[in-house]
Amino acid sequence: MKYEEIRENPKMMMKTNEMRDMWFVSCFTEKYENLSMWEDYADHGRGICLAYEAVRLLEEVKKYSSLNAQFLPVRYVDNRNNCKDMMLNHYDLLEDLNGTTNKLLLACMTKDRMKYSMEEEWRLLMYGERKERLGNGMCAPFINPDIIFCGPNIDTKCNDYQNLIAVAKQKNIDVVHAENR
């Protein structure tokens, strides 16, 4: 059977979509002022960065135990297939009951290129079946940031920026521009 036939099989497509609906990943960095990240991930400095106080973020995440939330640092490796010494949770001490889950977690918690180590990244992983959703159609919680940093090239005249400022004001979130850092 060819790859295209497998990928386009209706059962495979349904299973893939189910899995996408079950896993939620958010990425964080310890260094909001990293210029190469503003360049690569924030549309050449035209984007924003949501900043969280780590302890408050962890307290918020703990409220959603039904989503099996884990907040873990990313490990940068030359080859994740050779990464055998990483424990992802207490189940690693037991018999491997679900090798597929551990492989998925390993893929989510490592980056296969050392050149990205300057990102100092953390990832928030949440897993939840559709029936475990939070209500109001939400799949995962949105946690209000403590500060919103605007990139050095953000367009302050566009509607998206104006909406951002209005929501930040309504939610009492500070907005800081690059020139103020």
Side-chain angles (χ1 to χ4, degrees), residues 16-28 61 64-72 101 104-105 107-109 121-135 137-143:
T16 300
N17 286 333
E18 280 178 22
M19 291 180 72
R20 283 189 182 122
D21 285 346
M22 292 168 30
W23 284 92
F24 310 96
V25 179
S26 298
C27 301
F28 300 84
V61 166
Y64 301 100
S65 59
S66 68
L67 293 174
N68 304 305
Q70 297 183 53
F71 190 60
L72 302 165
T101 299
L104 180 62
L105 286 171
C108 288
M109 299 316 306
E121 187 177 356
W122 287 68
R123 292 197 182 143
L124 173 60
L125 304 175
M126 292 186 277
Y127 171 83
E129 299 280 347
R130 282 183 183 259
K131 63 183 172 12
E132 297 170 352
R133 300 273 168 102
L134 303 175
M138 287 183 61
C139 300
F142 179 79
I143 301 169

Side-chain angles (χ1 to χ4, degrees), residues 1-180:
M1 191 175 263
K2 294 181 180 177
Y3 173 74
E4 291 82 21
E5 292 173 352
I6 295 171
R7 191 182 72 205
E8 293 173 9
N9 179 302
K11 287 182 181 179
M12 181 66 172
M13 291 169 64
M14 184 178 79
K15 192 65 173 168
T16 300
N17 286 333
E18 280 178 22
M19 291 180 72
R20 283 189 182 122
D21 285 346
M22 292 168 30
W23 284 92
F24 310 96
V25 179
S26 298
C27 301
F28 300 84
T29 181
E30 296 175 24
K31 306 279 184 171
Y32 72 87
E33 66 279 323
N34 184 313
L35 294 177
S36 66
M37 289 181 66
W38 278 102
E39 192 66 25
D40 293 344
Y41 300 120
D43 193 20
H44 305 285
R46 291 185 288 266
I48 62 171
C49 172
L50 306 179
Y52 297 88
E53 197 275 312
V55 173
R56 188 182 71 78
L57 179 65
L58 290 173
E59 290 297 323
E60 289 291 324
V61 166
K62 281 176 23 180
K63 294 177 185 177
Y64 301 100
S65 59
S66 68
L67 293 174
N68 304 305
Q70 297 183 53
F71 190 60
L72 302 165
V74 171
R75 183 169 174 187
Y76 301 92
V77 296
D78 288 320
N79 182 340
R80 79 171 44 118
N81 292 328
N82 293 336
C83 190
K84 307 285 186 218
D85 63 338
M86 190 168 177
M87 291 178 46
L88 298 167
N89 56 48
H90 63 284
Y91 297 113
D92 291 336
L93 299 173
L94 307 172
E95 184 179 329
D96 184 12
L97 301 175
N98 188 347
T100 303
T101 299
N102 275 344
K103 286 179 184 175
L104 180 62
L105 286 171
L106 182 62
C108 288
M109 299 316 306
T110 59
K111 251 191 179 164
D112 218 2
R113 294 192 178 86
M114 292 297 292
K115 72 178 186 176
Y116 294 111
S117 63
M118 57 75 183
E119 292 180 356
E120 298 182 51
E121 187 177 356
W122 287 68
R123 292 197 182 143
L124 173 60
L125 304 175
M126 292 186 277
Y127 171 83
E129 299 280 347
R130 282 183 183 259
K131 63 183 172 12
E132 297 170 352
R133 300 273 168 102
L134 303 175
N136 297 329
M138 287 183 61
C139 300
F142 179 79
I143 301 169
N144 287 337
D146 296 298
I147 299 172
I148 299 173
F149 290 102
C150 295
N153 300 319
I154 197 162
D155 180 0
T156 59
K157 294 175 177 57
C158 77
N159 286 338
D160 288 340
Y161 175 81
Q162 298 304 321
N163 290 337
L164 171 75
I165 295 300
V167 169
K169 185 174 183 178
Q170 176 189 30
K171 295 186 175 278
N172 201 27
I173 301 169
D174 291 331
V175 176
V176 178
H177 292 84
E179 60 270 9
N180 295 334

